Amino acid sequence: MGVNARVAVVTGSSSGIGKAIASRLSHEGWLVVLNGYRTEEAGHALAASLPGAAYVDADVSTSDGAHRLVDAATAGFGRLDALVNNAGIARQIPHRDLDAVDDDFWDRVMSVNLKGPWNLAKAARPHLVETRGQIINNASLAGLTAAGSSIPYAISKAGVIHMTKLLARALGPEIRVNAVAPGYIDTPLTHDWQPLRESIEANSPARRLGAPDDVAEVVHGLLTMSYVTGAVIPVDGGLHLL
Ligand code: NAD
């Protein structure tokens, strides 16, 4: 790791997809600020295993949390080259059961999944302008199709996709902004989501579940693609075709 190593903030990286993204970037030589919310033990353990990494427990739905994360990068490492907005929450609620969506869930899913990336983009912007850096948002196939674990979740992710396009226009040419849209990825969040798993293994063009590393590979790829901005890349083994 050189003194000029690039620096990334990866939100929600104490688990699942974010953990795979942070590990991949670290292995590619990046310095990574890890994050989770109330996941100090897992976060610090991961930080200890990745050279130079730091862990910051912070709630991305708050402006204070967003600033603490960005400050950890700029004060700790002197720069910020990439922001990966990955933190998110979900719960399985049948779409027809509108009454099962209480106000608390609606508000929380919007705060974490939609306002979180906005908070981080605002806080990171001046530093990303300096490095001509980039933002990658982890959206979801649920934001592209009329499906997903719940209606509020799908709406939050559709919002993330639109935010990606709006910010790509607003923040260019200094900052590129792209999104990945994973289908079903096997993580602690989704591990017991039956019978979805069997259906995907049987019917998706790739005939397998997604792994966190499948998403990390695309995030890393986007970081190397200098002429791509405002793009939304499904990472779903072809599920969007069904
Ligand atoms: P996960 O539950 O394994 O990890 C979620 C991470 O987000 C954890 O580190 C958690 O601490 C963090 N987090 C939650 N609330 C937070 C908050 N308020 N502030 C900061 N961090 C917070 O879940 P995952 O499956 O790895 O999902 C990661 C992202 O990928 C989410 O945005 C999710 O919507 C998206 N996604 C997942 C799938 C899938 O199939 N697993 C599919 C599409 C999109």
Side-chain angles (χ1 to χ4, degrees):
M1 183 196 334
V3 281
N4 293 320
R6 287 182 297 169
V7 177
V9 166
V10 183
T11 69
S13 46
S14 59
S15 171
I17 297 170
K19 182 176 177 178
I21 294 169
S23 303
R24 174 69 188 256
L25 295 189
S26 176
H27 290 133
E28 300 286 346
W30 288 66
L31 291 167
V32 184
V33 175
L34 306 165
N35 156 257
Y37 183 45
R38 298 181 175 163
T39 54
E40 306 222 350
E41 199 177 328
H44 286 299
L46 182 61
S49 74
L50 303 178
Y55 173 77
V56 178
D57 203 275
D59 182 351
V60 296
S61 73
T62 67
S63 172
D64 170 67
H67 280 283
R68 284 199 294 115
L69 265 168
V70 169
D71 288 351
T74 56
F77 301 128
R79 59 187 289 152
L80 179 63
D81 300 87
L83 163 64
V84 183
N85 279 314
N86 166 79
I89 55 169
R91 190 193 296 169
Q92 281 193 295
I93 302 175
H95 288 200
R96 292 179 63 84
D97 192 357
L98 305 198
D99 293 333
V101 177
D102 57 33
D103 284 356
D104 285 349
F105 179 67
W106 178 276
D107 291 345
R108 189 66 185 153
V109 88
M110 294 302 164
S111 295
V112 176
N113 293 8
L114 188 52
K115 195 170 165 213
W118 173 256
N119 288 339
L120 265 297
K122 260 173 87 174
R125 177 197 186 167
H127 309 289
L128 293 174
V129 165
E130 273 179 37
T131 55
R132 292 187 84 89
Q134 60 186 293
I135 298 172
I136 298 178
N137 295 320
N138 190 356
S140 172
L141 195 54
L144 289 169
T145 61
S149 51
S150 72
I151 288 180
Y153 174 84
I155 294 171
S156 76
K157 294 298 188 175
V160 168
I161 287 169
H162 207 52
M163 191 194 311
T164 300
K165 296 174 183 175
L166 290 163
L167 289 181
R169 285 190 76 184
L171 303 185
E174 293 88 357
I175 304 174
R176 292 191 296 117
V177 187
N178 292 294
V180 290
Y184 178 96
I185 308 295
D186 193 7
T187 72
L189 178 70
T190 57
H191 191 66
D192 59 358
W193 288 6
Q194 306 284 8
L196 191 59
R197 295 169 63 94
E198 282 80 3
S199 159
I200 287 164
E201 283 174 322
N203 300 315
S204 78
R207 299 285 197 281
R208 68 169 176 87
L209 304 176
D213 284 343
D214 292 320
V215 183
E217 180 175 41
V218 179
V219 169
H220 176 252
L222 278 169
L223 289 169
T224 68
M225 295 171 188
S226 57
Y227 200 52
V228 178
T229 193
V232 181
I233 303 187
V235 188
D236 64 350
L239 264 186
H240 66 281
L241 301 169
L242 303 186

